[in-house]
């Protein structure tokens, strides 16, 4: 009896080890790479890549900060920096170039192909209304100054500057896209006289804009894929229902009428002004559906695409990487960008913003730089079944073996 129990225990142990090997093998196959991380012990709210010097292994950024917790005084200085990262000696050089003294939240910074700098942030008028602003930072006569490109309609008190969105992306030399949140006023999203809860297309030359799409709650990421002419957006749902959306002109993405998320609680006053709007929870009929919805939420944030031709993570070329409260994810979309094929988490560390250099280096707003471990060779696993009679057990079943291939 004791020998029988011992044999069963050994069998279970062998099965567990085999399962572990399979999981490790699949993980190695899926991850493709082992990564290295550099920590520069500096943190900003948002970043944009200005330049990468490949021979010197340096990266130049534009960075902004200025957010405070909602429990503190909202009015902040929004600071703008030029930042240089040296990956050889692990040094960071920071130079403050401008500040905005009437900002309530820093939302995004954009550096265009024509070397223009745009900053989005929330300000408050003398009457207490909150506005989302897009300003161009211009160097003129030896100093930087702001030129107002866009100012949203005002949201009256007592609402806070939350769920503002504010992500920007360049369309071409003349236009940028801006994603505006509902500012916790879901009743404004379906209002054609309001630009809240919408993506707007801004002419940066004459400062006019048009509403491109609507039905957004709290957009956190925006990326324009020039290879497919696709506009990809990420946004926070309510409790559950974070979304990745393919944004199409004149389409409605449902908020506040439908959502795959659920309501937060029973405070009807809060919900009437904030997040409810009569939504049909767990449903999305009658509106544009997301490419993918995360249930439960992951706190999805900024999204970028890995360059197709890059020496760092060549297998990931054309894949998307996005930040979240759970870490950095990699996602593969279908060729027409309408379907999520697969995703994985590549780093379990929260980030708000992400940028990818031309050579494929990944940088977060916390100045974590992720590169490929070039000394690592991926180990792939193959599952082989031996059916020859001399490898069969007494019942005639073939044995399975897992072999590593280097």
């Amino acid at each position: 009896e004791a020998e029988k129990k011992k044999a069963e225990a050994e069998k279970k142990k062998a099965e567990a080890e085999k399962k572990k090997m399979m999981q490790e093998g699949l993980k190695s196959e899926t991850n493709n790479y082992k990564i290295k991380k550099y920590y520069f012990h500096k943190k900003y709210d948002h970043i944009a890549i200005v330049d990468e010097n490949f021979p010197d292994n340096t990266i130049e950024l534009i960075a902004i900060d200025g957010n405070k917790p909602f429990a503190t005084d909202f009015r902040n200085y929004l600071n703008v920096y030029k930042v240089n990262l040296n990956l050889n000696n692990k040094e960071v050089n920071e130079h403050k170039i401008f500040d905005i003294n009437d900002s309530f939240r820093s939302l995004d910074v954009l550096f265009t192909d024509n070397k223009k700098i745009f900053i989005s942030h929330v300000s408050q008028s003398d009457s207490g209304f909150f506005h989302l602003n897009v300003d161009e930072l211009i160097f003129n006569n030896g100093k930087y100054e702001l030129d107002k490109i866009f100012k949203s309609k005002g949201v009256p008190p007592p609402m806070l500057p939350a769920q503002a969105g504010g992500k920007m992306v360049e369309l071409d030399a003349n236009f940028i896209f801006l994603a505006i949140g509902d500012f916790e006023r879901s009743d404004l999203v379906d209002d054609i006289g309001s630009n809240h809860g919408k993506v707007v297309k801004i002419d940066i030359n004459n400062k006019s804009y048009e509403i491109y799409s609507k039905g957004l709650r709290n957009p956190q990421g925006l990326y324009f894929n020039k290879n497919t002419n696709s506009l990809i957006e990420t946004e926070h749902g309510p409790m559950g229902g974070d979304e990745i959306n393919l944004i199409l002109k004149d389409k409605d993405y449902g908020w506040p009428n439908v959502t795959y998320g659920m309501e937060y609680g029973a405070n009807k006053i809060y919900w009437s002004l904030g997040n409810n709007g009569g939504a049909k929870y767990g449903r999305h009929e009658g509106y544009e559906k997301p490419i993918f919805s995360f249930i439960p939420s992951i706190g999805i944030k900024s999204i970028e695409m890995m360059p197709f031709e890059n020496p760092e993570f060549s297998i990931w070329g054309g894949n998307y990487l996005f930040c979240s409260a759970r870490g950095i994810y990699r996602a593969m979309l279908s060729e027409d960008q309408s379907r999520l094929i697969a995703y994985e988490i590549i780093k379990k560390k929260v980030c708000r913003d992400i940028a990818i250099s031309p050579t494929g280096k990944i940088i977060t707003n916390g100045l974590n730089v992720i590169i490929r471990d070039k000394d690592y060779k991926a180990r792939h696993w193959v599952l082989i079944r031996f059916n020859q009679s001399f490898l069969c057990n007494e019942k005639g079943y073939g044995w399975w073996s897992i072999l590593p291939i280097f």
Side-chain angles (χ1 to χ4, degrees), residues 276-333:
N276 188 307
K280 295 179 180 178
Y281 293 104
R283 301 174 59 183
H284 228 287
E285 288 80 6
Y287 298 87
E288 288 295 311
K289 290 182 171 60
I291 296 172
F292 192 81
S293 182
F294 291 88
I295 303 172
S297 294
I298 63 170
I300 195 167
K301 302 183 190 300
S302 177
I303 187 168
E304 292 288 329
M305 191 182 77
M306 181 65 68
F308 279 97
E309 301 293 334
N310 76 89
E312 203 68 44
F313 297 102
S314 59
I315 298 176
W316 294 354
N319 292 180
Y320 290 91
L321 283 85
F322 55 86
C323 284
S324 78
R326 295 187 181 181
I328 301 174
Y329 285 74
R330 176 175 72 97
M332 294 179 283
L333 300 187

Side-chain angles (χ1 to χ4, degrees), residues 178-197:
L178 169 71
I180 308 173
D182 70 358
F183 279 71
E184 294 187 312
R185 281 290 303 270
S186 58
D187 57 303
L188 297 176
V189 179
D190 284 332
D191 182 353
I192 60 174
S194 168
N195 42 34
H196 299 91

Side-chain angles (χ1 to χ4, degrees), residues 265-278:
N267 189 331
K268 300 302 181 184
I269 295 177
Y270 172 76
W271 280 100
S272 65
L273 291 174
N275 289 304
N276 188 307

Side-chain angles (χ1 to χ4, degrees), residues 217 235-243 253 255-265 271 275-276 278-284 290 292-297:
R217 179 179 177 270
E235 70 173 275
H236 288 171
M239 191 169 64
D242 285 359
E243 295 179 354
Y253 291 81
W255 181 256
N257 304 299
V258 292
T259 174
Y260 285 128
M262 300 299 291
E263 64 177 297
Y264 283 106
W271 280 100
N275 289 304
N276 188 307
K280 295 179 180 178
Y281 293 104
R283 301 174 59 183
H284 228 287
F292 192 81
S293 182
F294 291 88
I295 303 172
S297 294

Side-chain angles (χ1 to χ4, degrees), residues 52 54 306-307 309-313 356-361:
E52 178 180 22
F54 186 67
M306 181 65 68
E309 301 293 334
N310 76 89
E312 203 68 44
F313 297 102
I356 303 175
S357 77
T359 62
K361 295 180 179 66

Side-chain angles (χ1 to χ4, degrees), residues 160-220:
L160 302 176
Q163 292 180 200
K167 292 300 291 185
M168 302 174 288
V169 70
E170 179 182 11
L171 172 62
D172 54 35
N174 300 308
F175 295 95
I176 64 172
F177 286 113
L178 169 71
I180 308 173
D182 70 358
F183 279 71
E184 294 187 312
R185 281 290 303 270
S186 58
D187 57 303
L188 297 176
V189 179
D190 284 332
D191 182 353
I192 60 174
S194 168
N195 42 34
H196 299 91
K198 300 173 179 72
V199 171
V200 297
K201 180 181 174 183
I202 302 173
D203 187 322
I204 61 176
N205 298 310
N206 63 25
K207 305 177 183 179
S208 64
Y209 76 92
E210 63 171 311
I211 293 175
Y212 194 79
S213 65
K214 69 172 188 172
L216 310 182
R217 179 179 177 270
N218 188 12
Q220 295 288 301

Side-chain angles (χ1 to χ4, degrees), residues 40 44 46-54 56-63 81-87 91-95 97 109 111 115 117 144 355-359 361 363 367 369:
F40 285 87
Y44 302 97
H46 297 279
I47 58 172
I49 292 179
V50 173
D51 192 20
E52 178 180 22
N53 190 316
F54 186 67
D56 294 340
N57 212 15
T58 60
I59 300 173
E60 184 181 350
L61 306 171
I62 290 288
Y81 306 90
K82 281 189 175 181
V83 181
N84 188 276
L85 305 180
N86 190 313
L87 301 186
E91 289 185 353
V92 53
N93 293 310
E94 173 194 275
H95 174 58
I97 61 173
V109 57
F111 187 81
K115 304 185 184 307
I117 302 171
Y144 284 97
I356 303 175
S357 77
T359 62
K361 295 180 179 66
I363 305 103
L367 293 196
V369 180

